[in-house]
Amino acid sequence: AGYFTSVNGSTRNHLAAITASSPDTLLSWNPDANDTVLHIHITNSTAYIGGAFTRMKWSTLNLERNRLAAVTLAGAGTVTDWDPNVEGGFGANVEPVFYNGSHVYFGGEFTSVGGEPRLNAASVSLIDGSVRSWTADAAGGLVHGIWATLTRVYMGGEFTTVNGASPPHFAITSP
């Protein structure tokens, strides 16, 4: 993940997979993001990918995936139907992505998810990408880290308030 367009002489836009035993061996996995990838969280057979991208390519299809996407790990990597649609202005991105049970928590710099207002932190269903009711509006700056248990969500970043309270840079909420 990152800001690159090739690996070992092969085109790989912002995402690539290599073998652990032989780092020079490039795998066929190639979701082809159109902009920077900032985070990948892998669960079982799927990679949940966050970044500044707005499109992922699968085979010959150029699919709209605003800043958050799910891609299978098998073969060349199929971009799934899971599409939370993270929106924001110039510079919008998803940085941390964390999976917990049936939910995906993420942060970054954005203003809405799936058409619902969410400021820099949100949670969606792992199954269909629908926005959950959990809100942790992080005003004043980006969320750079997020981690969740069954009883708490921990966030860190440049924000100055969360849901109007002023715990600058670190917050703990209920899921």
Side-chain angles (χ1 to χ4, degrees), residues 3 6 19 28 33 35 65-66 76 80 101 114 116 126 129 132 143 171:
Y3 186 76
S6 71
T19 61
S28 63
D35 203 343
R65 291 294 183 271
N66 289 317
T80 71
E116 298 288 328
L126 180 70
R132 297 186 55 240
V143 173

Side-chain angles (χ1 to χ4, degrees), residues 93-157:
N93 67 71
V94 169
E95 287 189 28
V97 179
F98 186 80
Y99 152 79
N100 182 9
S102 60
H103 307 115
V104 175
Y105 292 88
F106 56 95
E109 182 176 13
F110 51 86
T111 56
S112 72
V113 177
E116 298 288 328
R118 295 291 186 275
L119 186 60
N120 303 333
S123 179
V124 297
S125 163
L126 180 70
I127 306 301
D128 63 9
S130 60
V131 182
R132 297 186 55 240
S133 61
W134 179 76
T135 57
D137 289 338
L142 285 76
V143 173
H144 290 295
I146 197 162
W147 189 74
T149 68
L150 295 176
T151 59
R152 298 280 186 266
V153 178
Y154 302 87
M155 301 179 349

Side-chain angles (χ1 to χ4, degrees), residues 16-69:
I18 57 174
T19 61
S21 60
S22 177
D24 290 334
T25 303
L26 184 64
L27 300 176
S28 63
W29 192 77
N30 186 15
D32 197 17
N34 73 336
D35 203 343
T36 306
V37 171
L38 298 168
H39 193 94
I40 299 174
H41 190 93
I42 295 176
T43 66
N44 300 325
S45 61
T46 305
Y48 292 89
I49 301 165
F53 57 86
T54 57
R55 296 203 172 275
M56 290 267 181
K57 187 178 259 184
W58 174 67
S59 186
T60 59
L61 300 174
N62 208 356
L63 303 173
E64 183 175 311
R65 291 294 183 271
N66 289 317
R67 297 164 194 88
L68 194 58

Side-chain angles (χ1 to χ4, degrees), residues 78-99:
T78 301
V79 179
T80 71
D81 290 337
W82 190 81
D83 184 13
N85 193 27
V86 180
E87 295 285 348
F90 177 79
N93 67 71
V94 169
E95 287 189 28
V97 179
F98 186 80
Y99 152 79

